[in-house]
Amino acid sequence: TVEAFTGKRRSGSGVLLYGAPGTGKTFVARAAAGEYARRYGLRFINVETQAVKGIYHGKRVKRLGDIFEFIKYCAPCIVLWDEIDGVASDPEMGGSKGDRETSTIFKQQLDRGDTGNSPIIHIGTTNFPERLELALVRPGRLSPIHIGPPDPEARRAIIEMYLAQLPGTVNIDIEMLVKWTASNTTAEIKQIFEEVDGHILSERRESGTKEPRARQLEDFERAKNSLKTKGFAAWLSKKKHILKQPKASDRREAYKEILEMK
């Protein structure tokens, strides 16, 4: 997206942030939008794609056209299309029949881009990259970028942040927590901490004590083991299965990073 300001990349294009639920795609998109708004004075537009997807087909096409007209009016701007698969899915990959027309409109509007000194940068997010029309992620439109689980350094920072918010936490081996949460999404790490507090609160109610006991490493181990949804692992396994199917053969190059993950 920086290249859109330097003239090295065609205007009207942007990025697609894809990944498992809870990895922070929307957060990253909003953070980037805020930074560009501050640095370059761009307006920020958050498009509610469900407001387009959930209406009758004929009105859906008109509404999408109206949205793009508004975007042009607001330029220079940065546009967030959260859950972009809601307006640009391929019917052959799980989208509805009406999605083909809205997807065509979407591609046409991206190609028209912006004019002069009024850049328009688009950021899309999705949990279902394979559903999007492949033409949307070709060079010059939305460049796909995978947002995965936090790496060890990021997990350590997240864990330290939550621990600082929990008075009464003692004898916690942070490095062990970092190891236990490998491949967990940001949302799942938060869920682990919430599970710890919920368990201790239940203990307190059952025992009738006035003060909660200190949180210990064993509490986090129990919470980790009780986590029923392994978001990223399940997501990755499913996406690999889909991309290995014959009907998805043309998408393997665009999302080869998924196939190469372990």
Side-chain angles (χ1 to χ4, degrees), residues 97-121:
K97 293 181 180 180
D99 285 339
R100 189 175 300 282
E101 188 170 354
T102 54
S103 182
T104 298
I105 294 173
F106 200 97
K107 289 182 293 185
Q108 290 172 345
Q109 293 291 347
L110 284 180
D111 290 342
R112 289 173 186 170
D114 47 60
T115 58
N117 296 318
S118 297
I120 300 173
I121 297 176

PDB file of all heavy atoms in Angstrom, residues 97-121:
ATOM      1  N   LYS A  97     -25.210 -17.600  -5.891  1.00  0.00           N
ATOM      2  CA  LYS A  97     -25.268 -17.295  -7.315  1.00  0.00           C
ATOM      3  C   LYS A  97     -25.166 -15.796  -7.572  1.00  0.00           C
ATOM      4  O   LYS A  97     -24.585 -15.355  -8.559  1.00  0.00           O
ATOM      5  CB  LYS A  97     -26.557 -17.853  -7.913  1.00  0.00           C
ATOM      6  CG  LYS A  97     -26.621 -19.376  -7.920  1.00  0.00           C
ATOM      7  CD  LYS A  97     -27.913 -19.874  -8.540  1.00  0.00           C
ATOM      8  CE  LYS A  97     -27.963 -21.398  -8.553  1.00  0.00           C
ATOM      9  NZ  LYS A  97     -29.222 -21.907  -9.148  1.00  0.00           N
ATOM     10  N   GLY A  98     -25.749 -15.015  -6.679  1.00  0.00           N
ATOM     11  CA  GLY A  98     -25.714 -13.565  -6.853  1.00  0.00           C
ATOM     12  C   GLY A  98     -24.358 -12.943  -6.600  1.00  0.00           C
ATOM     13  O   GLY A  98     -24.120 -11.796  -6.971  1.00  0.00           O
ATOM     14  N   ASP A  99     -23.459 -13.709  -5.983  1.00  0.00           N
ATOM     15  CA  ASP A  99     -22.140 -13.167  -5.667  1.00  0.00           C
ATOM     16  C   ASP A  99     -21.311 -12.881  -6.912  1.00  0.00           C
ATOM     17  O   ASP A  99     -20.421 -12.029  -6.883  1.00  0.00           O
ATOM     18  CB  ASP A  99     -21.360 -14.136  -4.766  1.00  0.00           C
ATOM     19  CG  ASP A  99     -21.857 -14.113  -3.332  1.00  0.00           C
ATOM     20  OD1 ASP A  99     -22.489 -13.118  -2.952  1.00  0.00           O
ATOM     21  OD2 ASP A  99     -21.612 -15.088  -2.606  1.00  0.00           O
ATOM     22  N   ARG A 100     -21.571 -13.601  -7.998  1.00  0.00           N
ATOM     23  CA  ARG A 100     -20.762 -13.405  -9.190  1.00  0.00           C
ATOM     24  C   ARG A 100     -20.894 -11.982  -9.726  1.00  0.00           C
ATOM     25  O   ARG A 100     -19.911 -11.357 -10.116  1.00  0.00           O
ATOM     26  CB  ARG A 100     -21.142 -14.414 -10.276  1.00  0.00           C
ATOM     27  CG  ARG A 100     -20.179 -14.383 -11.462  1.00  0.00           C
ATOM     28  CD  ARG A 100     -20.505 -15.460 -12.465  1.00  0.00           C
ATOM     29  NE  ARG A 100     -20.432 -16.801 -11.909  1.00  0.00           N
ATOM     30  CZ  ARG A 100     -19.287 -17.439 -11.713  1.00  0.00           C
ATOM     31  NH1 ARG A 100     -18.132 -16.863 -12.002  1.00  0.00           N
ATOM     32  NH2 ARG A 100     -19.284 -18.669 -11.234  1.00  0.00           N
ATOM     33  N   GLU A 101     -22.128 -11.456  -9.730  1.00  0.00           N
ATOM     34  CA  GLU A 101     -22.332 -10.110 -10.250  1.00  0.00           C
ATOM     35  C   GLU A 101     -21.727  -9.056  -9.332  1.00  0.00           C
ATOM     36  O   GLU A 101     -21.085  -8.120  -9.790  1.00  0.00           O
ATOM     37  CB  GLU A 101     -23.819  -9.829 -10.454  1.00  0.00           C
ATOM     38  CG  GLU A 101     -24.075  -8.511 -11.173  1.00  0.00           C
ATOM     39  CD  GLU A 101     -25.527  -8.346 -11.578  1.00  0.00           C
ATOM     40  OE1 GLU A 101     -26.309  -9.299 -11.398  1.00  0.00           O
ATOM     41  OE2 GLU A 101     -25.868  -7.260 -12.076  1.00  0.00           O
ATOM     42  N   THR A 102     -21.915  -9.215  -8.020  1.00  0.00           N
ATOM     43  CA  THR A 102     -21.332  -8.241  -7.101  1.00  0.00           C
ATOM     44  C   THR A 102     -19.804  -8.310  -7.145  1.00  0.00           C
ATOM     45  O   THR A 102     -19.127  -7.286  -7.023  1.00  0.00           O
ATOM     46  CB  THR A 102     -21.820  -8.471  -5.657  1.00  0.00           C
ATOM     47  OG1 THR A 102     -21.568  -9.825  -5.284  1.00  0.00           O
ATOM     48  CG2 THR A 102     -23.308  -8.170  -5.540  1.00  0.00           C
ATOM     49  N   SER A 103     -19.272  -9.518  -7.332  1.00  0.00           N
ATOM     50  CA  SER A 103     -17.826  -9.663  -7.442  1.00  0.00           C
ATOM     51  C   SER A 103     -17.306  -8.973  -8.698  1.00  0.00           C
ATOM     52  O   SER A 103     -16.239  -8.345  -8.685  1.00  0.00           O
ATOM     53  CB  SER A 103     -17.446 -11.147  -7.455  1.00  0.00           C
ATOM     54  OG  SER A 103     -16.049 -11.311  -7.519  1.00  0.00           O
ATOM     55  N   THR A 104     -18.061  -9.083  -9.790  1.00  0.00           N
ATOM     56  CA  THR A 104     -17.660  -8.414 -11.035  1.00  0.00           C
ATOM     57  C   THR A 104     -17.631  -6.906 -10.848  1.00  0.00           C
ATOM     58  O   THR A 104     -16.697  -6.231 -11.287  1.00  0.00           O
ATOM     59  CB  THR A 104     -18.639  -8.786 -12.167  1.00  0.00           C
ATOM     60  OG1 THR A 104     -18.577 -10.190 -12.396  1.00  0.00           O
ATOM     61  CG2 THR A 104     -18.289  -8.045 -13.450  1.00  0.00           C
ATOM     62  N   ILE A 105     -18.657  -6.378 -10.197  1.00  0.00           N
ATOM     63  CA  ILE A 105     -18.701  -4.938  -9.917  1.00  0.00           C
ATOM     64  C   ILE A 105     -17.514  -4.536  -9.056  1.00  0.00           C
ATOM     65  O   ILE A 105     -16.864  -3.506  -9.290  1.00  0.00           O
ATOM     66  CB  ILE A 105     -20.021  -4.564  -9.219  1.00  0.00           C
ATOM     67  CG1 ILE A 105     -21.194  -4.774 -10.171  1.00  0.00           C
ATOM     68  CG2 ILE A 105     -19.974  -3.116  -8.719  1.00  0.00           C
ATOM     69  CD1 ILE A 105     -22.538  -4.584  -9.520  1.00  0.00           C
ATOM     70  N   PHE A 106     -17.221  -5.353  -8.069  1.00  0.00           N
ATOM     71  CA  PHE A 106     -16.106  -5.071  -7.170  1.00  0.00           C
ATOM     72  C   PHE A 106     -14.796  -4.972  -7.955  1.00  0.00           C
ATOM     73  O   PHE A 106     -14.007  -4.036  -7.774  1.00  0.00           O
ATOM     74  CB  PHE A 106     -16.010  -6.164  -6.105  1.00  0.00           C
ATOM     75  CG  PHE A 106     -15.238  -5.769  -4.887  1.00  0.00           C
ATOM     76  CD1 PHE A 106     -15.881  -5.319  -3.760  1.00  0.00           C
ATOM     77  CD2 PHE A 106     -13.851  -5.849  -4.868  1.00  0.00           C
ATOM     78  CE1 PHE A 106     -15.163  -4.946  -2.632  1.00  0.00           C
ATOM     79  CE2 PHE A 106     -13.129  -5.488  -3.749  1.00  0.00           C
ATOM     80  CZ  PHE A 106     -13.790  -5.036  -2.626  1.00  0.00           C
ATOM     81  N   LYS A 107     -14.561  -5.926  -8.832  1.00  0.00           N
ATOM     82  CA  LYS A 107     -13.329  -5.926  -9.636  1.00  0.00           C
ATOM     83  C   LYS A 107     -13.270  -4.715 -10.560  1.00  0.00           C
ATOM     84  O   LYS A 107     -12.209  -4.082 -10.704  1.00  0.00           O
ATOM     85  CB  LYS A 107     -13.246  -7.214 -10.452  1.00  0.00           C
ATOM     86  CG  LYS A 107     -12.968  -8.454  -9.616  1.00  0.00           C
ATOM     87  CD  LYS A 107     -12.859  -9.690 -10.478  1.00  0.00           C
ATOM     88  CE  LYS A 107     -14.180 -10.052 -11.115  1.00  0.00           C
ATOM     89  NZ  LYS A 107     -14.120 -11.326 -11.864  1.00  0.00           N
ATOM     90  N   GLN A 108     -14.383  -4.379 -11.171  1.00  0.00           N
ATOM     91  CA  GLN A 108     -14.419  -3.224 -12.071  1.00  0.00           C
ATOM     92  C   GLN A 108     -14.086  -1.937 -11.330  1.00  0.00           C
ATOM     93  O   GLN A 108     -13.332  -1.092 -11.833  1.00  0.00           O
ATOM     94  CB  GLN A 108     -15.797  -3.119 -12.721  1.00  0.00           C
ATOM     95  CG  GLN A 108     -16.100  -4.218 -13.729  1.00  0.00           C
ATOM     96  CD  GLN A 108     -17.534  -4.182 -14.209  1.00  0.00           C
ATOM     97  OE1 GLN A 108     -18.399  -3.532 -13.605  1.00  0.00           O
ATOM     98  NE2 GLN A 108     -17.816  -4.894 -15.299  1.00  0.00           N
ATOM     99  N   GLN A 109     -14.638  -1.802 -10.130  1.00  0.00           N
ATOM    100  CA  GLN A 109     -14.387  -0.589  -9.350  1.00  0.00           C
ATOM    101  C   GLN A 109     -12.934  -0.516  -8.893  1.00  0.00           C
ATOM    102  O   GLN A 109     -12.335   0.563  -8.872  1.00  0.00           O
ATOM    103  CB  GLN A 109     -15.327  -0.547  -8.133  1.00  0.00           C
ATOM    104  CG  GLN A 109     -16.795  -0.372  -8.473  1.00  0.00           C
ATOM    105  CD  GLN A 109     -17.103   0.999  -9.032  1.00  0.00           C
ATOM    106  OE1 GLN A 109     -16.296   1.916  -8.956  1.00  0.00           O
ATOM    107  NE2 GLN A 109     -18.285   1.145  -9.607  1.00  0.00           N
ATOM    108  N   LEU A 110     -12.348  -1.666  -8.543  1.00  0.00           N
ATOM    109  CA  LEU A 110     -10.940  -1.666  -8.168  1.00  0.00           C
ATOM    110  C   LEU A 110     -10.067  -1.246  -9.344  1.00  0.00           C
ATOM    111  O   LEU A 110      -9.092  -0.501  -9.176  1.00  0.00           O
ATOM    112  CB  LEU A 110     -10.517  -3.061  -7.691  1.00  0.00           C
ATOM    113  CG  LEU A 110     -10.951  -3.505  -6.297  1.00  0.00           C
ATOM    114  CD1 LEU A 110     -10.437  -4.907  -6.031  1.00  0.00           C
ATOM    115  CD2 LEU A 110     -10.468  -2.554  -5.228  1.00  0.00           C
ATOM    116  N   ASP A 111     -10.418  -1.702 -10.532  1.00  0.00           N
ATOM    117  CA  ASP A 111      -9.634  -1.377 -11.724  1.00  0.00           C
ATOM    118  C   ASP A 111      -9.736   0.094 -12.086  1.00  0.00           C
ATOM    119  O   ASP A 111      -8.790   0.688 -12.609  1.00  0.00           O
ATOM    120  CB  ASP A 111     -10.086  -2.237 -12.907  1.00  0.00           C
ATOM    121  CG  ASP A 111      -9.695  -3.706 -12.731  1.00  0.00           C
ATOM    122  OD1 ASP A 111      -8.819  -3.974 -11.895  1.00  0.00           O
ATOM    123  OD2 ASP A 111     -10.285  -4.552 -13.420  1.00  0.00           O
ATOM    124  N   ARG A 112     -10.897   0.690 -11.809  1.00  0.00           N
ATOM    125  CA  ARG A 112     -11.053   2.111 -12.100  1.00  0.00           C
ATOM    126  C   ARG A 112     -10.195   2.956 -11.161  1.00  0.00           C
ATOM    127  O   ARG A 112      -9.713   4.006 -11.541  1.00  0.00           O
ATOM    128  CB  ARG A 112     -12.527   2.511 -11.964  1.00  0.00           C
ATOM    129  CG  ARG A 112     -13.395   1.956 -13.088  1.00  0.00           C
ATOM    130  CD  ARG A 112     -14.852   2.218 -12.838  1.00  0.00           C
ATOM    131  NE  ARG A 112     -15.681   1.551 -13.841  1.00  0.00           N
ATOM    132  CZ  ARG A 112     -17.000   1.447 -13.773  1.00  0.00           C
ATOM    133  NH1 ARG A 112     -17.639   1.960 -12.727  1.00  0.00           N
ATOM    134  NH2 ARG A 112     -17.668   0.834 -14.723  1.00  0.00           N
ATOM    135  N   GLY A 113     -10.033   2.438  -9.962  1.00  0.00           N
ATOM    136  CA  GLY A 113      -9.115   3.082  -9.023  1.00  0.00           C
ATOM    137  C   GLY A 113      -9.464   4.523  -8.719  1.00  0.00           C
ATOM    138  O   GLY A 113     -10.624   4.892  -8.617  1.00  0.00           O
ATOM    139  N   ASP A 114      -8.440   5.338  -8.596  1.00  0.00           N
ATOM    140  CA  ASP A 114      -8.621   6.736  -8.237  1.00  0.00           C
ATOM    141  C   ASP A 114      -7.955   7.609  -9.276  1.00  0.00           C
ATOM    142  O   ASP A 114      -7.333   7.133 -10.217  1.00  0.00           O
ATOM    143  CB  ASP A 114      -8.031   6.997  -6.840  1.00  0.00           C
ATOM    144  CG  ASP A 114      -6.638   6.386  -6.711  1.00  0.00           C
ATOM    145  OD1 ASP A 114      -5.758   6.772  -7.493  1.00  0.00           O
ATOM    146  OD2 ASP A 114      -6.448   5.517  -5.851  1.00  0.00           O
ATOM    147  N   THR A 115      -8.091   8.873  -9.094  1.00  0.00           N
ATOM    148  CA  THR A 115      -7.516   9.816 -10.051  1.00  0.00           C
ATOM    149  C   THR A 115      -6.700  10.877  -9.330  1.00  0.00           C
ATOM    150  O   THR A 115      -6.980  11.229  -8.188  1.00  0.00           O
ATOM    151  CB  THR A 115      -8.631  10.516 -10.861  1.00  0.00           C
ATOM    152  OG1 THR A 115      -9.518  11.187  -9.951  1.00  0.00           O
ATOM    153  CG2 THR A 115      -9.416   9.511 -11.675  1.00  0.00           C
ATOM    154  N   GLY A 116      -5.707  11.384 -10.019  1.00  0.00           N
ATOM    155  CA  GLY A 116      -4.923  12.507  -9.500  1.00  0.00           C
ATOM    156  C   GLY A 116      -4.304  12.233  -8.159  1.00  0.00           C
ATOM    157  O   GLY A 116      -3.680  11.204  -7.917  1.00  0.00           O
ATOM    158  N   ASN A 117      -4.492  13.183  -7.236  1.00  0.00           N
ATOM    159  CA  ASN A 117      -3.883  13.099  -5.914  1.00  0.00           C
ATOM    160  C   ASN A 117      -4.861  12.598  -4.861  1.00  0.00           C
ATOM    161  O   ASN A 117      -4.760  12.960  -3.693  1.00  0.00           O
ATOM    162  CB  ASN A 117      -3.343  14.474  -5.510  1.00  0.00           C
ATOM    163  CG  ASN A 117      -2.233  14.934  -6.430  1.00  0.00           C
ATOM    164  OD1 ASN A 117      -1.362  14.145  -6.797  1.00  0.00           O
ATOM    165  ND2 ASN A 117      -2.270  16.207  -6.808  1.00  0.00           N
ATOM    166  N   SER A 118      -5.829  11.784  -5.264  1.00  0.00           N
ATOM    167  CA  SER A 118      -6.833  11.268  -4.332  1.00  0.00           C
ATOM    168  C   SER A 118      -6.772   9.747  -4.269  1.00  0.00           C
ATOM    169  O   SER A 118      -7.618   9.057  -4.855  1.00  0.00           O
ATOM    170  CB  SER A 118      -8.241  11.721  -4.767  1.00  0.00           C
ATOM    171  OG  SER A 118      -8.360  13.123  -4.729  1.00  0.00           O
ATOM    172  N   PRO A 119      -5.769   9.204  -3.600  1.00  0.00           N
ATOM    173  CA  PRO A 119      -5.613   7.740  -3.546  1.00  0.00           C
ATOM    174  C   PRO A 119      -6.733   7.054  -2.778  1.00  0.00           C
ATOM    175  O   PRO A 119      -7.293   7.610  -1.830  1.00  0.00           O
ATOM    176  CB  PRO A 119      -4.271   7.553  -2.845  1.00  0.00           C
ATOM    177  CG  PRO A 119      -4.100   8.788  -2.034  1.00  0.00           C
ATOM    178  CD  PRO A 119      -4.719   9.890  -2.839  1.00  0.00           C
ATOM    179  N   ILE A 120      -7.062   5.864  -3.222  1.00  0.00           N
ATOM    180  CA  ILE A 120      -8.022   4.996  -2.526  1.00  0.00           C
ATOM    181  C   ILE A 120      -7.333   3.660  -2.301  1.00  0.00           C
ATOM    182  O   ILE A 120      -6.935   3.003  -3.254  1.00  0.00           O
ATOM    183  CB  ILE A 120      -9.302   4.783  -3.351  1.00  0.00           C
ATOM    184  CG1 ILE A 120     -10.000   6.121  -3.639  1.00  0.00           C
ATOM    185  CG2 ILE A 120     -10.258   3.854  -2.598  1.00  0.00           C
ATOM    186  CD1 ILE A 120     -11.176   5.990  -4.601  1.00  0.00           C
ATOM    187  N   ILE A 121      -7.174   3.290  -1.058  1.00  0.00           N
ATOM    188  CA  ILE A 121      -6.508   2.036  -0.716  1.00  0.00           C
ATOM    189  C   ILE A 121      -7.528   1.121  -0.052  1.00  0.00           C
ATOM    190  O   ILE A 121      -8.236   1.521   0.874  1.00  0.00           O
ATOM    191  CB  ILE A 121      -5.322   2.276   0.224  1.00  0.00           C
ATOM    192  CG1 ILE A 121      -4.278   3.137  -0.477  1.00  0.00           C
ATOM    193  CG2 ILE A 121      -4.711   0.951   0.667  1.00  0.00           C
ATOM    194  CD1 ILE A 121      -3.123   3.519   0.392  1.00  0.00           C
TER     195      ILE A 121
END
